[in-house]
Amino acid sequence: MKYEIIDYETLRLAVDGLCDFLFAQEIAPERVFDSRLVAYELLSNVLKHADGNAKLDFGLTPEFVELKIATAEVFFPVKKETCSDVYAESGRGLFLVDRLAERFITEDGVLLIRIKR
């Protein structure tokens, strides 16, 4: 299923659609939570830091929940190896994403995220 994200309302609708899909496929609630967190973090970063809109597509493989985020320009947030200080105002989101998921750029410039089922 594909969603276009142009603002925070369409972001919320897209992530709600993702969660509804995962629950309908009987994915464990913990993985649905992980998928929600990853999708919100990466898509909100697109809205904040990338030019234009994003398209979210998602599906399942036998091993993974797969999210695909397409933007007008290739958008790949830097991997976070360390978590920000407890008093920092930002910097924890991508650290969490990288602990929960694998991220790749496909040949056609789409951000592919895989979360273990």
Side-chain angles (χ1 to χ4, degrees):
M1 181 160 265
K2 289 189 179 185
Y3 288 87
E4 186 165 354
I5 291 86
I6 57 173
D7 56 22
Y8 288 100
E9 178 61 20
T10 54
L11 168 59
R12 184 188 61 78
L13 292 171
V15 175
D16 286 350
L18 167 64
C19 293
D20 290 345
F21 168 77
L22 295 175
F23 279 125
Q25 299 300 311
E26 298 182 354
I27 300 301
E30 296 84 5
R31 298 299 74 80
V32 176
F33 178 85
D34 293 348
S35 300
R36 175 187 284 282
L37 185 149
V38 167
Y40 263 120
E41 178 62 26
L42 292 173
L43 289 167
S44 65
N45 280 346
V46 167
L47 291 176
K48 289 179 196 172
H49 305 294
D51 292 335
N53 306 332
K55 289 185 173 61
L56 172 67
D57 192 9
F58 48 82
L60 297 173
T61 70
E63 294 181 54
F64 299 103
V65 174
E66 288 193 342
L67 311 178
K68 295 178 184 174
I69 299 175
T71 55
E73 294 181 17
V74 175
F75 181 74
F76 189 78
V78 177
K79 293 204 181 242
K80 286 286 278 189
E81 297 298 325
T82 60
C83 190
S84 295
D85 183 80
V86 69
Y87 297 108
E89 290 185 24
S90 63
R92 289 176 204 81
L94 289 176
F95 176 79
L96 292 172
V97 166
D98 290 334
R99 295 306 162 277
L100 298 173
E102 299 174 328
R103 299 187 282 146
F104 311 92
I105 292 290
T106 64
E107 289 181 10
D108 56 349
V110 173
L111 177 59
L112 171 62
I113 303 103
R114 290 185 176 145
I115 302 162
K116 278 258 194 218
R117 288 176 65 166

